[in-house]
Structures are given as C-alpha cells and as structure tokens.
Amino acid sequence: MESWNTPLPARLPVQPDRLKLYDTASQSVRHPGNLAEASLYVCGITPYDATHLGHANTYVTFDLLSRYWRACGLPVTYVQNVTDVDDPLLERATATGVDWRDLAAEQTELFRSDMEALNVLAPDHYVGATETVDWVVASVEALVANGTAYPVPGAGSEPDGDIYFSIDAAQEATHWTLGSVGRHSAEEMATVFPERGGDPDRPGKRHPLDPLLWRVARPGEPTWEGRSLGTGRPGWHIECSAIARRLLPAPFTVQGGGSDLRFPHHEFSAAHATAADGQPLAQAFVHAGMVGLDGEKMSKSLGNLVLVSRLRSQGVEPVAIRTALLSNHYRDDWDWTPELMTRSMDRVARWRRALELQEPGDGAALLAAAHRALSDDLDAPAALAQVDRWADEALARDDRNPAGLGPDGASGTQAADVDPSSPDVRAAVNGLLGLTL
Ligand code: 5CA
Ligand code: ZN
C-alpha cells in the first residue's frame, strides 16, 4: 500500500557506524555487526483506532535508528506492515457497524498523517496483510511440508482444518527454542499468551502455546484462497515472518516493535522463519518500552489513550510531541503527563531562540555530540541534553555580547575557517533527531 511522504534529510557528515543496541534475544548491548547496509522491519499498526502516544513512541524510536544509520551513510531498507485483517479489527468493525475494510483504510490514513507530522521517515515498503496473503500461504505450506505445522481437527463451534505451528517439532528441527527470542520465563509466556491473541485451550493442539498459522473460513469472516490450506485468513505472527522474508535479507539487521511484542509475536515470527529456512529472522530484536497513562499501559483495548491527532488538533506542535517522546530513553516504560508536554514546548521555544544566535561550527559540533550519544543504545535523552547544552552556550554568549558583534565590530557569525558544507544546527537537529526547529 501507499506509504507516507516525509522528506529525506540531507546527508550528514558523521563517522561510520559505531552503534551499540540492546538485543532482547541475547540480552546484551552489542554492535549488530560491521554493516555495509542495514535492514529494518518494524511491526506496524493494527488499524482499528487512532495512533496514540505509545505507538508514536515506538515508531519515533525506530525512526531514530533509521536516521542514525542514514547519517552514517549506510543504505537502509525499511519494511513496515499493516495488520489490516485480524480479530480486534473485525470485532471493532462489527461493534461499530462499519465495514472492516473502511475502518482499516481510514485508520491507516490517520496513522500516515500522524507519522508525517511527527517527521517519521517513511518505510521503503509499507505492506498490508491483505496484500500478502499469497506469501503467507506459501510459508504455511512449506511449514506443513517440513512437519513443523499441522492441522487441528474441528471441535464444538470450531471447524476442521485450522493450521497451527508445532513448537515441539520446530525445537527438534532447528536451533530455535521457546523463549530464546522474547526471553520471557515459561510462566510469563503462559500468562501473556491468551492476553495477546493466543488460544491455549483450543482442543486438538499439541502444545498449549502453539500459535495459529492459518484460520480456515468461518461464516461472516473475510477469506482468501489458500490453495492446499483451503480458504481462510492468515494468523498474526506468520504475517510479519513471511513479509520480512520476502522483502529483506535472511537474517535482516533489526526487528523492532514495542516490548509487548516480545512474546508471542516476535518469538513466533522468528520461529516460523527459522523453521522454514534454518536462518534466524534478524540479527537483533530491539524493543521499545511501554508508554502509560496514570500507571496503566496506554492501549486501544483499555481505551486510556492520548491521541497524536487530538494533540495536533488542539494546536500542539508535532515537534514538541516528538521532543517529549525523545526525552525518555526508548527502553524505559514511562507515563505521559501534561507537564511533560509543557516542558517540551518550552524546550523547543528555547532552542528556537538559541538558533538565532548560532555561530559557524555549532551545527557540526552538536551533530557529533548527539551522534555519540545515540551510539550508546540510542540514548535520545543524552542527545537532547547536548542540544540544551549548545542552547545554553549560545544564549550565554548573547548575554555577554548582546549585539552579536565581535571586538572589532564585525558580526560574530562570520568566521572564515568553518567548512561551508557543514550543517547548521537546524539541519543537524532535523537530520539526526527529526526535530524541525
Ligand atoms: N499489528 C501489530 C504488530 S504486527 C500490532 O501490535 N499493532 S498495534 O497497533 O497493536 O501496535 C503497534 C505498535 O505499537 C507495536 O509495535 C506495539 O508494540 C506498539 N505499542 C502499542 N501500545 C504501546 C504503548 N502503550 N507504548 C509503546 N508502544 C506501544
Ligand atoms: Zn508484526
């Protein structure tokens, strides 16, 4: 489907990639290899409600990663999906009496406009689950053929033939073991599985945590032709696994999403890919923390949402929203507060005042310092502290020399020894941090 359109920043002159990132699977901060190019898959929205600040935080986090790599001159291939058919979307459409396709299209459009406003660079491939059913069918058929997927007989109201992934068979056939990607304990996995779409009590499954790969047709549900699988629709985890394998290298560099995707989603997306071809899904699994409101995770199902679109319609500048998000480390869980919004608006206003007072060389120095901060597991709060530090200095310079004139009466901004191609502060902050001052 159509992506959105955020202008690419100018190439920034920064040193080659020194990035260290926390990888959930190895539970360590490490450099994801000496890269000649980078590939990124970030799990996209399920479009049944508007973008809230939790979503925005996750996409801004991975936008920072994509900007970091691009600033280093690495070619980046970025894929994002849209889960435009799934149970929660169908349930919401039924409950509100709208066509599920219209709901998905409308919410995806709102998401695009929120991302554009937040200056999030567009993915190279933006793909809907409904556009890639053939890829899923081929993947599931391959898993059935190699014995890591099996049909479950009908029981009660459930028809015959849903296809599930066999945890036990995959563990026997590959290096993947249950929990090796999301790193939850067995108890935690058993707790969150039913909360995140799993069906541990479905009769006929071999293992209670075996996830659904292909759901055969039910009356009133959308279906697609599934060749040997029969008509039906894709399970959730195989969607991202199949899309990533089609569009990115095996393994690709970073699989991204919020920490609520560690299990079951990223665990099983990775397991499906490995069961199909023996390769890990990605070199690193990177997870953003959860944004909450009054101590509860912000979520569509709880309804405790602060929407990006609502803040925008109240006149809040997107750059202030982005500043508020970046002032928390991406791995932390944190609560949104109105005070954070106010502080961030003040911060942006102060940076803008300082911008009038920048001197040649300020942009290059700030770029290097902010880039160094991001190299340490994308430490955005430290990068913003560098912007504050530059603003402090610029404003202090102005206090000492209010007219901006040098001792000989020449303007202080006419230094001759600065490389004219080096970015000014506005270009550096926009390019690397995505903040439009
Ligand atoms: N379509 C699937 C992924 S394939 C999905 O999880 N969609 S979602 O709309 O529920 O979430 C989209 C992204 O936002 C996911 O990466 C999820 O981890 C992240 N997310 C959801 N709620 C929050 C939150 N409160 N804080 C931070 N990130 C969140
Ligand atoms: Zn996904």
Side-chain angles (χ1 to χ4, degrees):
M1 58 176 65
E2 219 175 295
S3 190
W4 58 93
N5 183 22
T6 310
L8 278 175
R11 167 89 174 85
L12 296 172
V14 298
Q15 293 305 305
D17 175 38
R18 294 303 326 142
L19 178 66
K20 284 184 300 177
L21 276 176
Y22 185 83
D23 165 40
T24 303
S26 63
Q27 297 174 291
S28 61
V29 179
R30 59 192 188 84
H31 189 262
N34 265 332
L35 300 176
E37 55 189 310
S39 38
L40 173 66
Y41 186 100
V42 179
C43 283
I45 54 161
T46 305
Y48 68 92
D49 214 336
T51 322
H52 59 66
L53 289 167
H55 303 130
N57 189 55
T58 291
Y59 298 108
V60 164
T61 292
F62 293 99
D63 184 53
L64 207 56
L65 177 58
S66 134
R67 285 173 183 274
Y68 179 98
W69 278 331
R70 287 172 208 274
C72 298
L74 281 181
V76 179
T77 309
Y78 179 6
V79 177
Q80 192 180 124
N81 67 306
V82 183
T83 309
D84 58 357
V85 60
D86 201 5
D87 296 344
L89 168 67
L90 298 173
E91 283 159 19
R92 176 66 63 90
T94 306
T96 53
V98 297
D99 186 288
W100 63 275
R101 280 160 292 223
D102 294 340
L103 177 61
E106 186 188 297
Q107 293 306 325
T108 304
E109 188 45 45
L110 185 56
F111 174 74
R112 286 193 193 100
S113 77
D114 285 337
M115 290 300 105
E116 219 169 76
L118 290 171
N119 204 18
V120 170
L121 299 176
D124 303 283
H125 302 275
Y126 193 48
V127 277
T130 56
E131 299 170 323
T132 55
V133 176
D134 275 356
W135 300 355
V136 167
V137 171
S139 295
V140 177
E141 284 181 330
L143 297 179
V144 172
N146 76 18
T148 53
Y150 61 99
V152 166
S157 61
E158 307 289 6
D160 226 26
D162 287 340
I163 311 283
Y164 281 79
F165 180 71
S166 170
I167 292 170
D168 294 333
Q171 290 190 130
E172 261 176 47
T174 70
H175 293 299
W176 172 81
T177 55
L178 181 63
S180 61
V181 173
R183 293 290 176 186
H184 281 303
S185 68
E187 267 178 11
E188 287 166 336
M189 290 191 281
T191 305
V192 300
F193 187 68
E195 294 168 2
R196 299 178 184 162
D199 51 357
D201 302 324
R202 170 76 196 262
K205 289 207 310 184
R206 295 180 189 165
H207 185 300
L209 301 185
D210 281 354
L212 177 72
L213 290 166
W214 183 255
R215 178 176 164 92
V216 293
R218 264 74 166 175
E221 290 189 12
T223 54
W224 286 262
E225 174 48 48
R227 293 195 290 267
S228 65
L229 311 177
T231 55
R233 62 180 166 99
W236 175 26
H237 321 304
I238 192 68
E239 167 192 342
C240 290
S241 191
I243 294 172
R245 273 297 189 259
R246 286 286 173 136
L247 298 174
L248 293 173
F252 57 91
T253 316
V254 167
Q255 162 76 305
S259 60
D260 58 344
L261 298 188
R262 283 168 53 194
F263 187 84
H265 187 53
H266 286 174
E267 187 74 46
F268 288 130
S269 298
H272 298 340
T274 304
D277 61 20
Q279 297 298 317
L281 182 66
Q283 289 169 15
F285 294 82
V286 178
H287 293 108
M290 289 292 110
V291 179
L293 191 67
D294 303 326
E296 285 259 40
K297 174 193 162 188
M298 215 178 266
S299 77
K300 289 181 277 207
S301 48
L302 289 174
N304 57 340
L305 309 178
V306 179
L307 303 180
V308 174
S309 45
R310 195 163 309 144
L311 289 174
R312 286 170 62 205
S313 68
Q314 287 164 356
V316 177
E317 264 198 279
V319 62
I321 303 174
R322 189 167 168 121
T323 300
L325 301 175
L326 292 179
S327 62
N328 294 277
H329 190 273
Y330 84 89
R331 274 168 60 201
D332 289 342
D333 296 331
W334 53 277
D335 266 10
W336 178 264
T337 60
E339 294 72 42
L340 174 64
M341 192 69 263
T342 320
R343 267 203 316 280
S344 301
M345 291 195 275
D346 292 347
R347 219 169 167 189
V348 169
R350 189 159 183 279
W351 293 339
R352 285 187 172 143
R353 279 201 304 282
L355 213 50
E356 305 295 314
L357 305 162
Q358 70 174 305
E359 293 196 341
D362 280 9
L366 176 54
L367 177 64
H371 193 259
R372 216 174 303 120
L374 294 185
S375 297
D376 181 13
D377 198 20
L378 291 180
D379 193 343
L384 295 196
Q386 292 296 337
V387 186
D388 284 335
R389 217 174 61 121
W390 156 77
D392 289 345
E393 282 168 13
L395 293 165
R397 256 187 335 239
D398 188 53
D399 282 346
R400 285 195 302 273
N401 184 11
L405 299 177
D408 57 358
S411 159
T413 57
Q414 296 297 313
D417 53 349
V418 171
D419 176 356
S421 71
S422 80
D424 70 356
V425 168
R426 186 181 272 122
V429 168
N430 182 31
L432 191 62
L433 301 172
L435 297 169
T436 320
L437 294 184

